[in-house]
């Protein structure tokens, strides 16, 4: 793959500076022999937001696992990605609760890390994450995967959770509560969230199996329902909600990861997408971001 004109850092654009930003996204995954090519899992996320700063990076902490993925906002918070153990992490907003109410709940933060980054740095498997329920604090939806399973966790107000484990089959979520024990908490269900959920569930049901990375990439690009309600949302206003990035990570039972990231490198330019797709080994997590791409990295703010 050519990495000509590669840019790792997005230009600063419109940014949401609230303590708890929105994550109006589509999450989906698959697991198991006959469902995923070669077994293992595939996890995907499309990131929908107002245009703003985002960049790809590799973090190599001295006190935990290395991880790579997309970082967003003024402070560069970890948004989605995978760690050296093959644990994949992503999340979306619980939009069934009005934003003004969601902002009243305290967020998980420990040693300066928010929940997604804490998970990526400190846990090797989905089961390890689930053994630490204190992580699930503010109302958001998580999708997690390792080489054996995909898990969707809905975090309800007060930190109660629903947990759906998929070891052979598919899973999907958008931005409203969908489990029997959580549905009643929806104060509203956004049209886009409902339509995107129906569409991704339909695609997961109809597409030929076993799923490949290519299949999941194609699903992240689906524009079946127009500019506002599609999985890949182009939006109706330059500064409005739209899809800014997507991730697909295939974690096999054995062997290297397959990773795909595409993200907008200039906040207000929908045509500035940079795409990276490659196999990733443990040695890649030991590299600097510049070495990973084999070129000098210039950061801009």
């Amino acid at each position: 793959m050519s990495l000509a004109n590669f840019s790792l850092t997005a230009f600063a654009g419109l940014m949401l500076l609230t303590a708890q930003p929105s994550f109006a996204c589509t999450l989906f995954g698959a697991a198991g022999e006959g469902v995923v090519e070669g077994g293992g899992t595939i996890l995907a996320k499309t990131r929908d937001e107002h245009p703003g700063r985002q960049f790809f990076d590799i973090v190599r902490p001295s006190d935990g696992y290395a991880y790579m993925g997309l970082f967003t906002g003024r402070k560069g918070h970890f948004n989605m990605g995978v760690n050296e153990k093959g644990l994949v992490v992503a999340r979306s907003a619980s939009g069934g609760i009005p934003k003004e109410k969601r902002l009243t709940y305290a967020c998980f933060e420990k040693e300066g890390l928010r929940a997604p980054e804490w998970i990526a740095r400190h846990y090797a498997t989905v089961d390890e994450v689930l053994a630490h329920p204190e992580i699930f604090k503010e109302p958001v939806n998580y999708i997690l995967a390792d080489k054996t399973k995909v898990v969707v966790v809905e975090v309800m107000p007060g930190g109660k959770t629903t947990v759906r484990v998929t070891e052979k089959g598919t899973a999907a979520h958008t931005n409203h509560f969908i489990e029997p024990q959580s549905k009643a908490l929806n104060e509203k269900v956004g049209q886009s969230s409902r339509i995107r959920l129906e569409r991704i569930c339909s695609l997961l049901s109809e597409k030929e199996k076993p799923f490949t990375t290519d299949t999941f990439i194609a699903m992240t690009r689906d524009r079946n329902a127009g500019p506002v309600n599609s999985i890949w949302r182009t939006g109706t206003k330059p500064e409005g909600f739209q899809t800014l990035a997507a991730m697909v990570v295939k974690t096999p039972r054995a062997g290297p990861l397959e990773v795909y990231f595409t993200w907008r490198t200039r906040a207000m330019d929908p045509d500035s997408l940079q795409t990276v797709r490659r196999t990733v080994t443990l040695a890649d997590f030991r590299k600097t971001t510049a070495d990973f791409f084999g070129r000098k990295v210039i950061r801009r703010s």
Side-chain angles (χ1 to χ4, degrees):
M1 170 182 287
S2 171
L3 293 177
N5 301 318
F6 179 78
S7 174
L8 285 175
T9 306
F11 292 109
L14 298 176
M15 292 182 289
L16 297 181
L17 301 180
T18 59
Q20 184 179 323
S22 297
F23 311 98
C25 311
T26 303
L27 313 172
F28 56 103
E33 295 287 341
V35 183
V36 175
E37 185 179 52
T41 66
I42 305 181
L43 185 148
K45 171 183 173 175
T46 57
R47 177 179 183 250
D48 303 343
E49 250 293 3
H50 296 283
R53 181 174 183 257
Q54 54 183 8
F55 58 93
F56 181 93
D57 207 356
I58 300 173
V59 176
R60 300 172 299 157
S62 59
D63 62 342
Y65 302 124
Y67 49 99
M68 64 173 65
L70 194 70
F71 295 73
T72 64
R74 183 180 60 178
K75 296 184 178 180
H77 289 296
F78 182 63
N79 183 273
M80 55 180 168
V82 59
N83 72 12
E84 64 179 86
K85 294 297 184 179
L87 178 66
V88 194
V89 185
R91 66 178 182 172
S92 65
S94 296
I97 300 174
K99 183 178 179 179
E100 59 273 16
K101 182 175 291 188
R102 294 201 311 271
L103 292 175
T104 65
Y105 295 99
C107 297
F108 174 91
E109 188 168 331
K110 189 172 182 179
E111 298 176 9
L113 301 178
R114 293 185 178 182
E117 198 153 8
W118 182 266
I119 291 169
R121 185 174 294 197
H122 292 287
Y123 304 123
T125 67
V126 167
D127 288 340
E128 286 186 15
V129 180
L130 296 179
H132 292 272
E134 69 277 6
I135 296 168
F136 304 121
K137 194 170 183 179
E138 67 269 28
V140 293
N141 309 304
Y142 288 87
I143 189 166
L144 309 165
D146 55 27
K147 64 184 180 180
T148 66
K149 66 190 72 171
V150 174
V151 173
V152 174
V153 180
E154 295 179 329
V155 187
M156 296 176 281
K160 293 184 178 180
T161 62
T162 72
V163 178
R164 181 174 291 272
V165 179
T166 301
E167 295 182 330
K168 187 171 184 178
T170 62
H173 213 291
T174 50
N175 301 107
H176 60 282
F177 293 121
I178 62 174
E179 297 294 343
Q181 59 268 52
S182 63
K183 281 183 178 180
L185 296 174
N186 287 314
E187 296 185 31
K188 60 178 181 179
V189 176
Q191 176 177 269
S192 176
S193 183
R194 177 182 55 79
I195 292 174
R196 284 183 287 113
L197 182 64
E198 291 173 356
R199 177 62 174 169
I200 193 57
C201 288
S202 177
L203 290 174
L204 289 168
S205 174
E206 296 169 2
K207 290 290 184 180
E208 183 179 354
K209 299 173 183 62
F211 291 119
T212 66
T213 303
D214 284 333
T215 311
F216 264 47
I217 291 171
M219 286 192 277
T220 68
R221 296 173 177 170
D222 186 80
R223 299 188 182 187
N224 175 72
V228 174
N229 298 320
S230 292
I231 294 169
W232 188 279
R233 303 165 68 180
T234 57
T236 58
K237 299 184 295 183
E239 72 281 6
F241 264 84
Q242 54 206 278
T243 301
L244 306 176
M247 171 187 76
V248 176
V249 179
K250 184 174 185 290
T251 307
R253 284 279 186 172
L257 304 168
E258 294 181 23
V259 302
Y260 163 89
F261 288 91
T262 186
W263 69 98
R264 189 182 298 187
T265 60
R266 293 187 295 274
M268 302 305 295
D269 181 3
D271 296 324
S272 67
L273 287 173
Q274 173 64 49
T275 299
V276 171
R277 179 179 177 181
R278 60 185 291 178
T279 59
V280 171
T281 66
L282 181 60
D284 289 310
F285 286 95
R286 302 289 180 259
K287 297 176 181 178
T288 65
T289 307
D291 288 340
F292 180 75
F293 291 106
R295 60 168 293 150
K296 183 177 180 181
V297 177
I298 301 173
R299 291 197 176 276
R300 298 182 178 90
S301 59

